Coordinates of all heavy atoms in Angstrom, one line a residue:
M1 N 38.8 1.4 -9.9 CA 40.0 2.1 -9.5 C 39.8 2.8 -8.2 O 38.8 3.5 -8.0 CB 40.3 3.1 -10.7 CG 41.6 3.8 -10.6 SD 41.9 4.8 -12.0 CE 43.5 4.4 -12.5
T2 N 40.7 2.6 -7.3 CA 40.6 3.2 -6.0 C 41.0 4.7 -6.0 O 41.6 5.2 -6.9 CB 41.5 2.4 -5.0 OG1 42.8 2.7 -5.3 CG2 41.2 1.0 -4.9
R3 N 40.6 5.3 -4.9 CA 40.9 6.7 -4.8 C 42.4 7.0 -4.8 O 42.9 7.9 -5.4 CB 40.2 7.2 -3.5 CG 40.3 8.7 -3.3 CD 39.6 9.2 -2.2 NE 39.7 10.6 -2.1 CZ 39.2 11.3 -1.1 NH1 38.6 10.7 -0.1 NH2 39.4 12.6 -1.1
A4 N 43.1 6.1 -4.1 CA 44.6 6.3 -4.0 C 45.3 6.1 -5.4 O 46.2 6.9 -5.7 CB 45.2 5.3 -3.0
S5 N 44.8 5.2 -6.1 CA 45.4 4.9 -7.5 C 45.0 6.1 -8.4 O 45.9 6.5 -9.2 CB 45.0 3.6 -8.0 OG 43.6 3.6 -8.3
R6 N 43.8 6.6 -8.3 CA 43.5 7.8 -9.1 C 44.3 9.0 -8.7 O 44.8 9.7 -9.6 CB 42.0 8.1 -9.0 CG 41.1 7.2 -9.8 CD 39.7 7.6 -9.7 NE 39.2 7.2 -8.4 CZ 38.1 7.5 -7.8 NH1 37.2 8.2 -8.5 NH2 37.7 7.1 -6.6
L7 N 44.6 9.2 -7.4 CA 45.4 10.3 -7.0 C 46.8 10.1 -7.5 O 47.4 11.1 -8.0 CB 45.4 10.4 -5.5 CG 46.2 11.5 -4.8 CD1 45.7 12.9 -5.3 CD2 46.1 11.4 -3.3
F8 N 47.3 8.9 -7.4 CA 48.7 8.6 -7.9 C 48.8 8.9 -9.4 O 49.8 9.4 -9.9 CB 49.1 7.2 -7.5 CG 50.4 6.8 -8.0 CD1 51.6 7.2 -7.3 CD2 50.6 6.0 -9.2 CE1 52.8 6.9 -7.8 CE2 51.9 5.7 -9.6 CZ 53.0 6.1 -8.9
S9 N 47.8 8.5 -10.1 CA 47.8 8.7 -11.6 C 47.8 10.2 -11.9 O 48.5 10.6 -12.8 CB 46.6 8.0 -12.2 OG 46.7 6.6 -12.1
A10 N 46.9 10.9 -11.2 CA 46.8 12.4 -11.5 C 48.2 13.1 -11.1 O 48.6 13.9 -11.9 CB 45.7 13.0 -10.6
L11 N 48.8 12.7 -10.0 CA 50.0 13.3 -9.6 C 51.1 12.9 -10.6 O 52.0 13.8 -10.9 CB 50.4 12.9 -8.2 CG 49.6 13.5 -7.1 CD1 50.0 13.0 -5.7 CD2 49.8 15.0 -7.1
S12 N 51.1 11.7 -11.1 CA 52.1 11.3 -12.1 C 52.0 12.1 -13.4 O 52.9 12.5 -14.0 CB 52.0 9.8 -12.4 OG 52.2 9.0 -11.2
L13 N 50.7 12.3 -13.8 CA 50.5 13.0 -15.0 C 50.9 14.5 -14.8 O 51.6 15.0 -15.7 CB 49.0 13.0 -15.3 CG 48.5 13.7 -16.6 CD1 49.1 13.0 -17.8 CD2 47.0 13.7 -16.7
V14 N 50.6 15.1 -13.7 CA 51.1 16.5 -13.4 C 52.6 16.6 -13.4 O 53.2 17.5 -14.0 CB 50.4 17.0 -12.1 CG1 51.1 18.4 -11.7 CG2 48.9 17.2 -12.3
F15 N 53.2 15.6 -12.7 CA 54.7 15.6 -12.6 C 55.3 15.4 -13.9 O 56.3 16.1 -14.3 CB 55.1 14.6 -11.6 CG 56.6 14.5 -11.5 CD1 57.3 15.4 -10.7 CD2 57.3 13.5 -12.1 CE1 58.7 15.3 -10.6 CE2 58.7 13.4 -12.0 CZ 59.4 14.3 -11.3
G16 N 54.8 14.5 -14.7 CA 55.3 14.3 -16.1 C 55.2 15.5 -17.0 O 56.1 15.9 -17.7
F17 N 54.0 16.2 -16.9 CA 53.8 17.4 -17.7 C 54.8 18.5 -17.2 O 55.4 19.2 -18.1 CB 52.4 17.9 -17.5 CG 52.1 19.1 -18.3 CD1 52.0 19.0 -19.7 CD2 52.0 20.3 -17.7 CE1 51.7 20.1 -20.5 CE2 51.8 21.5 -18.5 CZ 51.6 21.4 -19.8
A18 N 55.0 18.6 -15.9 CA 55.9 19.6 -15.4 C 57.4 19.3 -15.9 O 58.1 20.2 -16.3 CB 55.9 19.7 -13.9
L19 N 57.7 18.1 -15.9 CA 59.1 17.7 -16.3 C 59.3 18.0 -17.8 O 60.3 18.5 -18.2 CB 59.3 16.2 -16.0 CG 60.7 15.6 -16.2 CD1 61.7 16.3 -15.3 CD2 60.7 14.1 -16.0
L20 N 58.3 17.7 -18.6 CA 58.4 18.0 -20.0 C 58.5 19.5 -20.3 O 59.2 19.9 -21.2 CB 57.3 17.4 -20.8 CG 57.3 15.9 -20.9 CD1 56.0 15.4 -21.6 CD2 58.5 15.4 -21.7
T21 N 57.8 20.3 -19.5 CA 57.8 21.7 -19.7 C 59.1 22.3 -19.3 O 59.7 23.1 -20.1 CB 56.7 22.4 -18.8 OG1 55.4 21.8 -19.1 CG2 56.6 23.9 -19.0
V22 N 59.7 21.8 -18.2 CA 61.0 22.3 -17.8 C 62.1 21.9 -18.8 O 62.9 22.7 -19.2 CB 61.4 21.8 -16.4 CG1 62.8 22.1 -16.1 CG2 60.5 22.4 -15.4
S23 N 62.0 20.7 -19.3 CA 62.9 20.2 -20.3 C 62.9 21.0 -21.6 O 63.9 21.4 -22.2 CB 62.7 18.7 -20.6 OG 63.5 18.3 -21.6
A24 N 61.7 21.3 -22.1 CA 61.5 22.1 -23.3 C 62.0 23.5 -23.1 O 62.6 24.1 -24.0 CB 60.0 22.1 -23.7
H25 N 61.7 24.1 -21.9 CA 62.2 25.4 -21.7 C 63.7 25.5 -21.7 O 64.3 26.4 -22.2 CB 61.7 25.9 -20.3 CG 62.1 27.3 -20.0 ND1 61.7 28.4 -20.6 CD2 63.0 27.7 -19.0 CE1 62.2 29.5 -20.1 NE2 63.1 29.1 -19.1
G26 N 64.4 24.5 -21.1 CA 65.8 24.5 -21.1 C 66.4 24.4 -22.5 O 67.5 24.9 -22.8
Q27 N 65.7 23.7 -23.4 CA 66.2 23.5 -24.8 C 66.1 24.8 -25.6 O 66.9 25.0 -26.5 CB 65.5 22.4 -25.5 CG 65.8 21.0 -24.9 CD 65.0 19.9 -25.5 OE1 64.1 20.2 -26.4 NE2 65.2 18.7 -25.1
R28 N 65.2 25.6 -25.3 CA 65.0 26.9 -26.0 C 66.1 27.9 -25.7 O 66.4 28.7 -26.5 CB 63.7 27.5 -25.7 CG 62.5 26.9 -26.4 CD 61.3 27.6 -26.2 NE 60.9 27.3 -24.8 CZ 59.8 27.7 -24.2 NH1 59.1 28.7 -24.7 NH2 59.5 27.3 -23.0
R29 N 66.8 27.8 -24.6 CA 67.8 28.7 -24.2 C 69.2 28.2 -24.6 O 70.1 28.2 -23.9 CB 67.8 28.9 -22.7 CG 66.4 29.4 -22.3 CD 66.4 29.9 -20.9 NE 67.0 31.2 -20.9 CZ 67.4 31.8 -19.8 NH1 67.3 31.3 -18.7 NH2 67.9 33.0 -19.9
S30 N 69.4 27.8 -25.9 CA 70.6 27.3 -26.4 C 71.6 28.3 -26.8 O 72.7 28.0 -27.1 CB 70.4 26.3 -27.5 OG 69.8 27.0 -28.6
E31 N 71.2 29.6 -26.8 CA 72.1 30.6 -27.2 C 73.3 30.8 -26.3 O 74.4 31.0 -26.7 CB 71.4 32.0 -27.3 CG 70.3 32.0 -28.3 CD 69.5 33.3 -28.2 OE1 69.8 34.2 -27.4 OE2 68.6 33.4 -29.0
G32 N 73.1 30.7 -25.0 CA 74.2 30.8 -24.1 C 74.6 32.2 -23.8 O 74.1 33.1 -24.4
P33 N 75.4 32.4 -22.8 CA 75.8 33.8 -22.4 C 76.6 34.5 -23.4 O 76.6 35.7 -23.4 CB 76.6 33.6 -21.1 CG 76.9 32.1 -21.0 CD 76.0 31.4 -21.9
A34 N 77.3 33.8 -24.3 CA 78.1 34.5 -25.2 C 77.3 35.3 -26.2 O 77.7 36.4 -26.7 CB 79.0 33.5 -26.0
N35 N 76.1 34.9 -26.5 CA 75.2 35.6 -27.4 C 74.2 36.5 -26.7 O 73.3 37.0 -27.4 CB 74.5 34.6 -28.3 CG 75.5 33.8 -29.2 OD1 76.6 34.3 -29.5 ND2 75.2 32.6 -29.5
A36 N 74.3 36.7 -25.4 CA 73.3 37.4 -24.7 C 73.4 38.9 -24.9 O 72.4 39.6 -24.8 CB 73.4 37.1 -23.2
Y37 N 74.6 39.4 -25.3 CA 74.8 40.9 -25.4 C 75.2 41.2 -26.8 O 75.9 40.5 -27.5 CB 75.9 41.3 -24.4 CG 75.6 41.0 -23.0 CD1 76.2 40.0 -22.4 CD2 74.6 41.8 -22.3 CE1 75.9 39.7 -21.0 CE2 74.3 41.5 -21.0 CZ 74.9 40.4 -20.4 OH 74.6 40.1 -19.1
K38 N 74.8 42.4 -27.3 CA 75.2 42.9 -28.6 C 76.1 44.1 -28.3 O 75.7 45.1 -27.8 CB 74.0 43.3 -29.4 CG 73.0 42.2 -29.7 CD 73.7 41.1 -30.5 CE 72.6 40.0 -30.8 NZ 73.2 38.8 -31.3
F39 N 77.4 43.9 -28.7 CA 78.4 45.0 -28.5 C 78.6 45.8 -29.8 O 78.4 45.2 -30.9 CB 79.7 44.4 -28.0 CG 79.6 43.8 -26.6 CD1 79.7 42.4 -26.5 CD2 79.5 44.5 -25.5 CE1 79.6 41.8 -25.3 CE2 79.4 43.9 -24.3 CZ 79.5 42.5 -24.2
T40 N 79.1 47.0 -29.6 CA 79.5 47.8 -30.8 C 80.7 47.1 -31.4 O 81.4 46.4 -30.7 CB 79.8 49.2 -30.4 OG1 80.9 49.2 -29.5 CG2 78.6 49.9 -29.8
P41 N 81.0 47.3 -32.7 CA 82.2 46.7 -33.2 C 83.5 47.1 -32.5 O 84.4 46.3 -32.3 CB 82.2 47.3 -34.7 CG 80.8 47.6 -35.0 CD 80.2 48.0 -33.7
Q42 N 83.6 48.4 -32.0 CA 84.8 48.8 -31.3 C 84.9 48.0 -29.9 O 85.9 47.5 -29.6 CB 84.7 50.3 -31.0 CG 85.9 50.8 -30.3 CD 85.8 52.3 -30.0 OE1 84.8 52.9 -30.2 NE2 86.9 52.9 -29.5
A43 N 83.7 47.9 -29.2 CA 83.8 47.2 -28.0 C 84.1 45.7 -28.2 O 84.8 45.1 -27.4 CB 82.4 47.3 -27.3
Q44 N 83.5 45.1 -29.2 CA 83.8 43.7 -29.5 C 85.3 43.5 -29.9 O 85.9 42.5 -29.5 CB 82.9 43.2 -30.7 CG 83.0 41.7 -30.9 CD 82.6 40.9 -29.7 OE1 81.5 41.1 -29.2 NE2 83.4 39.9 -29.3
K45 N 85.9 44.5 -30.5 CA 87.3 44.4 -30.8 C 88.2 44.3 -29.5 O 89.1 43.6 -29.4 CB 87.7 45.6 -31.7 CG 89.2 45.5 -32.2 CD 89.5 46.7 -33.1 CE 90.9 46.7 -33.5 NZ 91.2 47.8 -34.4
V46 N 87.8 45.2 -28.6 CA 88.5 45.2 -27.3 C 88.3 43.9 -26.5 O 89.2 43.3 -26.0 CB 88.0 46.4 -26.4 CG1 88.5 46.3 -25.0 CG2 88.4 47.7 -27.1
I47 N 87.1 43.4 -26.6 CA 86.8 42.1 -25.9 C 87.6 41.0 -26.5 O 88.1 40.1 -25.8 CB 85.3 41.8 -25.9 CG1 84.5 42.8 -25.0 CG2 85.0 40.4 -25.5 CD1 83.0 42.8 -25.2
D48 N 87.6 41.0 -27.8 CA 88.4 39.9 -28.5 C 89.9 40.0 -28.1 O 90.6 39.0 -28.0 CB 88.2 40.0 -30.0 CG 86.8 39.7 -30.5 OD1 86.1 39.0 -29.7 OD2 86.5 40.1 -31.6
R49 N 90.4 41.2 -28.0 CA 91.8 41.4 -27.7 C 92.1 40.9 -26.2 O 93.0 40.3 -25.9 CB 92.2 42.9 -27.8 CG 93.6 43.2 -27.3 CD 94.4 43.9 -28.3 NE 95.6 44.5 -27.7 CZ 96.8 43.8 -27.5 NH1 96.8 42.5 -27.8 NH2 97.8 44.4 -27.0
L50 N 91.2 41.3 -25.3 CA 91.3 40.9 -23.9 C 91.2 39.3 -23.8 O 91.9 38.8 -22.9 CB 90.2 41.5 -23.1 CG 90.4 43.0 -22.8 CD1 89.1 43.5 -22.1 CD2 91.6 43.3 -22.0
D51 N 90.5 38.7 -24.7 CA 90.3 37.3 -24.7 C 91.6 36.6 -25.0 O 91.8 35.4 -24.7 CB 89.2 36.9 -25.7 CG 88.4 35.7 -25.2 OD1 88.5 35.4 -24.0 OD2 87.7 35.1 -26.0
T52 N 92.6 37.3 -25.7 CA 93.8 36.6 -26.1 C 94.8 36.6 -25.0 O 95.8 35.9 -25.1 CB 94.4 37.3 -27.3 OG1 94.8 38.7 -26.9 CG2 93.5 37.4 -28.5
F53 N 94.6 37.4 -23.9 CA 95.6 37.5 -22.9 C 95.5 36.2 -22.0 O 94.4 35.8 -21.5 CB 95.4 38.7 -22.0 CG 95.7 40.0 -22.6 CD1 94.8 41.0 -22.5 CD2 96.8 40.2 -23.4 CE1 95.0 42.3 -23.1 CE2 97.1 41.4 -24.0 CZ 96.2 42.4 -23.9
S54 N 96.6 35.5 -21.8 CA 96.6 34.4 -20.9 C 97.4 34.7 -19.7 O 97.4 33.9 -18.7 CB 97.2 33.2 -21.6 OG 98.5 33.4 -22.1
S55 N 98.2 35.7 -19.7 CA 99.0 36.1 -18.5 C 99.3 37.6 -18.6 O 99.2 38.2 -19.6 CB 100.3 35.3 -18.4 OG 101.2 35.6 -19.5
I56 N 99.7 38.2 -17.5 CA 100.1 39.6 -17.4 C 101.6 39.7 -17.4 O 102.3 39.0 -16.5 CB 99.5 40.2 -16.1 CG1 98.0 40.2 -16.2 CG2 100.0 41.7 -16.0 CD1 97.3 40.6 -14.9
P57 N 102.2 40.4 -18.3 CA 103.7 40.5 -18.3 C 104.2 41.2 -17.0 O 103.6 42.2 -16.7 CB 104.0 41.3 -19.6 CG 102.8 41.9 -20.0 CD 101.6 41.1 -19.4
D58 N 105.2 40.7 -16.4 CA 105.6 41.2 -15.1 C 107.0 41.7 -15.1 O 107.6 42.0 -14.0 CB 105.3 40.3 -14.0 CG 106.1 39.0 -14.1 OD1 106.8 38.8 -15.2 OD2 106.0 38.1 -13.2
Q59 N 107.7 41.7 -16.2 CA 109.1 42.0 -16.2 C 109.4 43.5 -15.8 O 110.5 43.8 -15.3 CB 109.8 41.7 -17.5 CG 109.3 42.4 -18.7 CD 108.2 41.7 -19.4 OE1 107.6 40.8 -18.9 NE2 107.8 42.2 -20.6
D60 N 108.5 44.4 -16.1 CA 108.8 45.8 -15.8 C 108.1 46.3 -14.5 O 108.0 47.5 -14.3 CB 108.3 46.7 -17.0 CG 109.1 46.3 -18.2 OD1 110.3 46.0 -18.1 OD2 108.6 46.4 -19.3
W61 N 107.5 45.5 -13.7 CA 106.8 45.9 -12.5 C 107.8 46.3 -11.5 O 108.9 45.8 -11.3 CB 106.0 44.8 -12.0 CG 104.7 44.6 -12.8 CD1 104.4 44.9 -14.0 CD2 103.5 43.9 -12.3 NE1 103.2 44.5 -14.4 CE2 102.6 43.9 -13.3 CE3 103.2 43.4 -11.1 CZ2 101.3 43.4 -13.2 CZ3 101.9 42.8 -10.9 CH2 101.0 42.9 -12.0
Q62 N 107.4 47.4 -10.7 CA 108.2 47.8 -9.5 C 107.3 47.5 -8.3 O 106.1 47.6 -8.4 CB 108.5 49.3 -9.6 CG 109.4 49.6 -10.8 CD 109.6 51.1 -10.9 OE1 109.3 51.9 -10.0 NE2 110.2 51.5 -12.0
Y63 N 107.9 47.2 -7.2 CA 107.1 47.0 -6.0 C 107.9 47.4 -4.8 O 109.1 47.7 -4.8 CB 106.7 45.5 -5.9 CG 107.9 44.6 -5.7 CD1 108.3 44.2 -4.4 CD2 108.6 44.0 -6.8 CE1 109.4 43.4 -4.2 CE2 109.6 43.2 -6.6 CZ 110.0 42.9 -5.3 OH 111.1 42.0 -5.2
H64 N 107.1 47.7 -3.7 CA 107.7 48.1 -2.5 C 107.1 47.3 -1.4 O 105.8 47.2 -1.3 CB 107.4 49.6 -2.3 CG 107.9 50.1 -1.0 ND1 109.2 50.4 -0.7 CD2 107.2 50.4 0.2 CE1 109.3 50.9 0.5 NE2 108.1 50.8 1.1
V65 N 107.9 46.7 -0.5 CA 107.4 45.9 0.6 C 107.0 46.9 1.7 O 107.8 47.7 2.1 CB 108.4 44.9 1.1 CG1 107.9 44.2 2.3 CG2 108.9 44.0 0.0
G66 N 105.7 46.9 2.1 CA 105.3 47.8 3.1 C 104.3 48.8 2.6 O 104.0 48.9 1.4
D67 N 103.9 49.7 3.5 CA 103.0 50.8 3.1 C 103.8 52.0 2.4 O 104.9 52.2 2.7 CB 102.3 51.4 4.3 CG 101.3 50.4 4.9 OD1 100.8 49.5 4.1 OD2 101.0 50.5 6.1
V68 N 103.2 52.6 1.4 CA 103.7 53.7 0.7 C 102.9 54.9 1.1 O 101.7 54.9 1.0 CB 103.7 53.6 -0.8 CG1 104.2 54.8 -1.5 CG2 104.5 52.4 -1.2
P69 N 103.5 56.0 1.7 CA 102.7 57.2 2.1 C 102.0 57.8 0.8 O 102.7 58.0 -0.2 CB 103.7 58.2 2.6 CG 104.9 57.4 2.9 CD 104.9 56.2 2.0
H70 N 100.8 58.0 0.9 CA 99.9 58.5 -0.2 C 100.1 57.7 -1.5 O 100.2 58.2 -2.6 CB 100.3 60.0 -0.5 CG 100.1 60.9 0.7 ND1 98.8 61.2 1.2 CD2 101.0 61.4 1.6 CE1 98.9 62.0 2.2 NE2 100.2 62.1 2.5
G71 N 100.0 56.4 -1.3 CA 100.1 55.5 -2.4 C 99.0 55.5 -3.4 O 99.1 55.0 -4.5
E72 N 97.9 56.2 -3.0 CA 96.7 56.3 -3.9 C 96.9 57.4 -5.0 O 96.1 57.4 -6.0 CB 95.5 56.6 -3.1 CG 95.3 58.0 -2.6 CD 96.2 58.3 -1.3 OE1 96.8 57.4 -0.8 OE2 96.1 59.4 -0.9
R73 N 97.9 58.2 -4.9 CA 98.1 59.3 -5.8 C 98.6 58.7 -7.2 O 99.4 57.8 -7.2 CB 99.2 60.3 -5.3 CG 98.7 61.1 -4.1 CD 99.7 62.0 -3.6 NE 100.6 62.5 -4.6 CZ 101.8 63.2 -4.3 NH1 102.1 63.3 -3.1 NH2 102.5 63.6 -5.3
P74 N 98.0 59.2 -8.2 CA 98.4 58.7 -9.6 C 99.8 59.0 -10.0 O 100.3 58.3 -10.9 CB 97.4 59.4 -10.5 CG 96.7 60.4 -9.8 CD 97.0 60.2 -8.3
D75 N 100.4 60.0 -9.4 CA 101.8 60.3 -9.8 C 102.9 59.6 -9.1 O 104.1 59.8 -9.3 CB 102.0 61.9 -9.8 CG 101.9 62.4 -8.4 OD1 101.2 61.7 -7.5 OD2 102.4 63.5 -8.1
V76 N 102.5 58.7 -8.2 CA 103.5 57.9 -7.4 C 104.1 56.9 -8.3 O 103.4 56.1 -9.0 CB 102.8 57.2 -6.2 CG1 103.8 56.3 -5.5 CG2 102.3 58.3 -5.2
D77 N 105.4 56.8 -8.4 CA 106.1 55.8 -9.2 C 106.8 54.8 -8.3 O 107.7 55.1 -7.6 CB 107.1 56.5 -10.1 CG 107.7 55.5 -11.1 OD1 107.2 54.4 -11.2 OD2 108.6 55.9 -11.8

């Protein structure tokens, strides 16, 4: 066996082992982001309610074209 073929065999073995390790690590993380956090029952209820919204109702919105003086004030209607 030549030196080049031994080197190729060793690199193939290392690469194969690394590939199997990465593959196995990826399979262990099957929980996904949905199960990453534990919320209180009250917080989970809010999250579930927010999840049902598919659009924002806009029939009662008011708008003004242009700048509003002191528009950051909470009492501006």
Side-chain angles (χ1 to χ4, degrees):
M1 190 175 226
T2 66
R3 185 175 183 187
S5 64
R6 282 185 285 174
L7 180 61
F8 180 77
S9 296
L11 287 176
S12 297
L13 183 64
V14 169
F15 179 76
F17 181 75
L19 186 62
L20 288 174
T21 303
V22 169
S23 176
H25 178 70
Q27 290 176 358
R28 282 184 282 178
R29 303 191 77 193
S30 62
E31 295 175 0
N35 298 330
Y37 302 104
K38 300 296 181 196
F39 296 108
T40 64
Q42 181 181 7
Q44 188 62 50
K45 185 177 177 181
V46 171
I47 291 170
D48 292 340
R49 173 129 167 82
L50 288 172
D51 215 17
T52 64
F53 293 134
S54 60
S55 65
I56 299 173
D58 62 356
Q59 64 270 12
D60 297 326
W61 283 23
Q62 298 178 9
Y63 64 92
H64 175 78
V65 178
D67 291 334
V68 176
H70 301 285
E72 75 280 357
R73 292 180 30 196
D75 60 340
V76 172
D77 187 11

